[in-house]
Amino acid sequence: MVENGSPRGAIHLDAAADGFHRFVAAEIQRYIELLTGGLLPIVTEPGAAPAGGVIMVGGPQANDTVGGLAARGALDLGGLTADGAYLLKSIDLDGRGCVVVAGRDDTGTMYAAYELLERLGVVFQLTGDIVPERKATLELPELDVAAAPARKFRGVHVWHAYTWNMGMQDYRRLIDQLAKMKMNVLEFYWGMGAPWVEVFHDGVRGELTTTPESGYLAVGRDSRSWGRSVHTTTGTRSEVRVGRECFPHERLCGEEFQEVGSEDEAFAVAVPFLREIIRYAHRRCVQVWLVFGELPFVSPNLAPQSAKVDHGVAPSESHSYQRYCGVAVPTGDPAALDIWEAALCAVIETYPEADSYGVWAPEHSPDFDDDEATRALRQEATTIREHMPSLGEIHGGGNFTPNTDKDLEFDAMQMHLAAELIGRVKRRHPDARLGVTLLFRGYLMRALDRLLPKDVWIANMEDCGNGGSQMDYYRGIAGRDLIVIPRIVDDGCELHMQMNATMYDRDEIVTGAEAAGAAGIIGQLDKERGGECSTRFLADGCWDAGVDAQSFYTGYLPRLYGTDAAPLVVDAYRLLEAAERDLVWWGRSEIFISYHDFSPCKLRTGVELRDGRPDIDRAELERAIEASWDDSDFWFWRRTAVGDQHGHDRPLRPDALWRRRAGQYRAVVDLLRQARPQVPAGSLAELDYVIFKTESLFNLSQLLSDVHSWARHAK
């Protein structure tokens, strides 16, 4: 194809090729130029090509030459049955070498092109491309590849309140990378009270619960709905403690929202912004699903009186249950359904070009036992409970919530509410594709299956902190699209990369989806950098249901870092996986509890240790510092939820445990530094990023060990 930097072959398109196929051909041309320096011509007649090889782009529906080859039996496309299925086939074309790049549909042809480029050495990741060192000569390998996706829906879930910094350029880049990894869904999520749709009830527009300082995008630290919380932010430069100088503007939001100064302006900017995301995604064969939550939370100014009765749960304002998405309305209050019907219909009517629409049930089912209308729903809950497992069965399966039978009763009421909502909206928009997502409540899937029409999809977000696979809940549900939502990135991961392949194996995310016949895997993505491996694992698993951590790393890392460095790098990544397992795949369960003032969680509640006069019992603090995991409130979450899985850590004091952690990360850094001289130049930046992040974790772990050791000896 290319010799000494000069083109010898060509890319063939049908003379009547549309803009999409011209884009696919241009992508092949662009990357081969990056690989070799040679710019291949794009021709519409094979005979007009130079004397070298030919890359023929398009299936029979888009390329008459390919259609002719298939008609006379020179090319078999009959096995390409699924949407997105593709073929890479080397054939003889009138005495010259040719590779056919074709799909069952346009999407498949694009996937075939990106597969060809990966076989030429390019590696597509979530945050960018790894292009190998340029070689002046390129010969196409012999290819005979036919592939079809194992999962119909493959993608990522993005919550814009966590990624409020993303502008349109960022979304276009993300969508481009999804297409290159053969993923086809971008699930765009927001909480009630965000500026993506105007919600009216009784003539009043729901207020925004997001912060003005962020362009009304970020979840507010002091918002009416959430109250004071470490999970929220103003979304401004002033809150950045390390690296503040890297940000040129006070607002960290995308440039489109920099000048937003009112709620009216927020809606005016947000709606066309999201419409452009949908338009661009469709150009790359990526669906956009618009989903929001959490049912039954509503904007505070829309909340009825029943939501404002003080049940002694939350003291802020007069609302009983507050979340980033507003305040909870009792399940039995008609206002809950009325407001949510208006909201979901508004989404459908505002974005008719979107591919699907959904609602998320609440992470915590509010207990409105004192509400008379809600108590009247108990009979509905009793009927639904007949199709739910018992509390013992749920806990026995490794799911640590719910805590009581009463929790299950309120879960059942939430399912009743979701089903009623879907029924109402379907009557108004019968052609809209709808769905319901559960948060860490797979045990409700079979009950929900009995309540919803079969054309409504059901999804569940899998909790990385559970005690084992939850995929049994998906089995036995027939005739419905089921979606698995594993976590690519969890809430508390800013200090480290999350290497989740081993967790996906434990939770049977890929194999369980195959066994249950689930339609899709859509990973939760709270940030991109550091989630490259986990995203790629899920992307590959959507095409090959046999992927596991071992096969993934031994196949992926040699392509990423080169075969010479592969043995050392594979060992390093295995150690990173083991360290992530020891962190329970939820970094903040250890790191952030320890990092905040180095104090036990229970003792630091309401206490500012830096003010010089903490109101705590010194003897109790000393006991907590000295105590092992079993005895100390320092490890409260681990002990109650996942302690049995990590018996080797339980006898350790915090200083010894962090010393062990430091040793794990030090071993990884040593392996990666040994591998570095053997890594190709194009991959060095990626390797150095992994080294930097791992060294940061080593330094933090060593610091925590030293602090706890010092505290023990200084008492």
Side-chain angles (χ1 to χ4, degrees):
M1 300 301 296
V2 178
E3 185 177 14
N4 296 324
S6 299
R8 293 289 181 262
I11 301 166
H12 173 259
L13 273 178
D14 192 86
D18 58 19
F20 179 79
H21 286 83
R22 293 184 183 278
F23 159 75
V24 173
E27 285 286 87
I28 297 174
Q29 181 189 54
R30 177 169 71 93
Y31 279 101
I32 287 182
E33 184 180 21
L34 289 173
L35 289 167
T36 67
L39 184 66
L40 294 180
I42 298 175
V43 301
T44 56
E45 291 293 337
V54 175
I55 299 173
M56 190 165 293
V57 177
Q61 76 282 5
N63 191 314
D64 288 343
T65 304
V66 173
L69 291 168
R72 64 176 183 262
L75 198 63
D76 181 11
L77 297 168
L80 302 183
T81 56
D83 291 342
Y86 64 85
L87 178 87
L88 287 176
K89 179 70 173 177
S90 298
I91 63 170
D92 180 82
L93 183 66
D94 300 326
R96 65 195 301 177
C98 175
V99 170
V100 176
V101 177
R104 178 181 183 272
D105 49 23
D106 291 355
T107 307
T109 296
M110 180 181 68
Y111 291 165
Y114 287 132
E115 179 68 22
L116 171 66
L117 294 169
E118 290 225 83
R119 288 173 180 263
L120 296 179
V122 182
V123 179
F124 297 124
Q125 295 204 119
L126 179 67
T127 52
D129 308 326
I130 306 297
V131 180
E133 188 175 356
R134 178 175 290 186
K135 294 182 179 180
T137 298
L138 174 67
E139 294 184 2
L140 292 180
E142 285 290 320
L143 295 168
D144 187 5
V145 179
R151 307 275 74 80
K152 180 166 59 172
F153 304 116
R154 314 168 297 277
V156 297
H157 160 97
V158 175
W159 179 11
H160 196 75
Y162 269 14
T163 57
W164 74 89
N165 58 297
M166 290 179 67
M168 187 55 60
Q169 182 178 355
D170 301 303
Y171 273 102
R172 288 175 180 148
R173 179 183 49 76
L174 171 61
I175 291 165
D176 285 342
Q177 297 310 116
L178 293 179
K180 294 172 190 177
M181 294 188 293
K182 309 184 189 72
M183 302 175 90
N184 67 347
V185 174
L186 173 65
E187 184 174 281
F188 189 95
Y189 176 84
W190 67 87
M192 184 76 84
W196 308 106
V197 68
E198 293 182 277
V199 178
F200 288 90
H201 179 60
D202 289 341
V204 178
R205 186 178 71 184
E207 65 182 323
L208 299 183
T209 59
T210 44
T211 58
E213 303 95 325
S214 66
Y216 290 95
L217 297 176
V219 175
R221 181 179 296 278
D222 293 306
S223 70
R224 288 184 58 192
S225 64
W226 183 270
R228 187 82 178 170
S229 170
V230 297
H231 302 306
T232 54
T233 175
T234 62
T236 60
R237 180 176 178 267
S238 60
E239 286 205 48
V240 179
R241 297 188 181 185
V242 178
R244 183 178 298 171
E245 65 278 3
C246 297
F247 299 94
H249 306 293
E250 176 60 17
R251 290 185 176 183
L252 303 186
C253 57
E255 60 179 295
E256 294 84 359
F257 292 85
Q258 285 291 334
E259 302 303 320
V260 168
S262 68
E263 294 194 5
D264 287 342
E265 291 177 3
F267 286 116
V269 173
V271 171
F273 183 91
L274 183 48
R275 284 176 176 158
E276 174 58 19
I277 289 175
I278 297 170
R279 186 197 69 83
Y280 189 85
H282 287 171
R283 290 177 57 187
R284 296 293 183 265
C285 303
V286 173
Q287 299 182 27
V288 178
W289 296 12
L290 304 181
V291 295
F292 66 113
E294 297 174 7
L295 179 71
F297 288 79
V298 304
S299 295
N301 69 323
L302 299 184
Q305 185 62 39
S306 62
K308 300 178 182 179
V309 177
D310 184 7
H311 295 297
V313 178
S316 178
E317 302 263 328
S318 58
H319 303 114
S320 293
Y321 295 93
Q322 303 186 15
R323 295 279 286 162
Y324 63 90
C325 45
V327 296
V329 179
T331 313
D333 191 317
L337 272 175
D338 291 344
I339 295 170
W340 272 84
E341 178 186 357
L344 185 50
C345 287
V347 174
I348 296 170
E349 292 156 11
T350 304
Y351 305 101
E353 64 275 25
D355 300 279
S356 190
Y357 313 88
V359 296
W360 280 53
E363 181 174 357
H364 309 288
S365 290
D367 175 354
F368 280 103
D369 199 34
D370 292 340
D371 180 72
E372 184 176 350
T374 301
R375 289 200 303 271
L377 289 177
R378 279 212 165 107
Q379 184 56 47
E380 296 287 349
T382 300
T383 303
I384 297 171
R385 281 287 303 274
E386 294 174 359
H387 305 290
M388 294 165 53
S390 69
L391 194 65
E393 290 170 330
I394 295 170
H395 291 176
N399 196 322
F400 302 113
T401 55
N403 297 316
T404 67
D405 285 317
K406 191 174 183 181
D407 292 335
L408 285 178
E409 180 177 305
F410 283 97
D411 282 347
M413 291 184 185
Q414 294 300 329
M415 297 308 94
H416 167 75
L417 188 67
E420 289 292 308
L421 171 64
I422 293 297
R424 284 193 183 191
V425 174
K426 281 184 72 67
R427 287 190 287 273
R428 292 176 59 179
H429 295 281
D431 296 329
R433 178 167 172 75
L434 303 176
V436 175
T437 297
L438 305 166
L439 275 83
F440 321 134
R441 284 174 165 76
Y443 55 85
L444 293 172
M445 293 182 71
R446 293 188 185 121
L448 194 55
D449 176 55
R450 292 178 173 267
L451 297 173
L452 294 173
K454 284 293 188 179
D455 61 349
V456 177
W457 52 262
I458 298 176
N460 184 56
M461 179 180 284
E462 300 303 320
D463 188 357
C464 55
N466 60 46
S469 171
Q470 308 293 296
M471 295 304 297
D472 281 344
Y473 295 132
Y474 293 76
R475 296 183 176 95
I477 300 177
R480 182 190 302 281
D481 284 343
L482 302 178
I483 310 298
V484 185
I485 305 182
R487 288 185 145 177
I488 296 172
V489 178
D490 190 27
D491 307 5
C493 65
E494 287 303 318
L495 293 176
H496 71 305
M497 300 175 301
Q498 284 196 285
M499 313 295 286
N500 289 345
T502 305
M503 181 183 75
Y504 299 147
D505 285 353
R506 179 204 68 176
D507 291 348
E508 300 179 300
I509 295 300
V510 172
T511 57
E514 175 72 10
I521 300 175
I522 298 176
Q524 178 202 23
L525 184 68
D526 288 342
K527 66 167 187 157
E528 299 166 83
R529 199 64 173 115
E532 289 85 355
C533 279
S534 295
T535 306
R536 188 59 196 248
F537 180 98
L538 295 176
D540 289 358
C542 284
W543 286 79
D544 178 3
V547 167
D548 60 13
Q550 173 71 14
S551 63
F552 172 70
Y553 283 123
T554 56
Y556 183 63
L557 295 178
R559 296 195 301 111
L560 187 60
Y561 295 117
T563 55
D564 292 341
L568 289 169
V569 175
V570 168
D571 285 346
Y573 273 65
R574 285 172 178 159
L575 288 176
L576 282 173
E577 282 281 345
E580 194 68 24
R581 179 197 63 216
D582 290 346
L583 286 173
V584 203
W585 295 289
W586 191 14
R588 75 173 187 221
S589 69
E590 262 191 13
I591 292 175
F592 283 95
I593 289 174
S594 301
Y595 197 57
H596 186 81
D597 290 327
F598 314 109
S599 63
C601 183
K602 180 179 178 181
L603 295 180
R604 78 159 192 268
T605 300
V607 175
E608 177 56 73
L609 294 184
R610 288 166 294 191
D611 65 5
R613 302 182 63 183
D615 183 21
I616 58 176
D617 183 89
R618 180 179 180 85
E620 187 177 357
L621 176 60
E622 291 174 353
R623 184 197 64 77
I625 292 172
E626 183 78 20
S628 69
W629 181 347
D630 275 335
D631 300 325
S632 176
D633 288 313
F634 191 94
W635 306 112
F636 77 107
W637 185 84
R638 284 173 147 268
R639 187 177 70 250
T640 57
V642 295
D644 291 341
Q645 300 175 58
H646 299 274
H648 58 289
D649 286 337
R650 296 184 66 169
L652 298 178
R653 293 186 304 266
D655 59 326
L657 188 141
W658 283 112
R659 191 158 52 248
R660 173 182 287 176
R661 294 285 181 269
Q664 289 175 297
Y665 297 124
R666 180 77 269 167
V668 172
V669 171
D670 289 345
L671 286 169
L672 295 177
R673 289 204 175 278
Q674 289 178 51
R676 195 177 187 281
Q678 303 171 67
V679 170
S683 301
L684 279 177
E686 188 68 18
L687 181 72
D688 286 343
Y689 170 77
V690 178
I691 291 173
F692 165 74
K693 294 292 282 187
T694 310
E695 282 189 327
S696 297
L697 272 178
F698 163 74
N699 290 329
L700 173 60
S701 302
Q702 189 62 55
L703 172 65
L704 291 172
S705 176
D706 290 346
V707 166
H708 284 293
S709 179
W710 171 83
R712 289 183 59 238
H713 290 96
K715 66 180 183 179

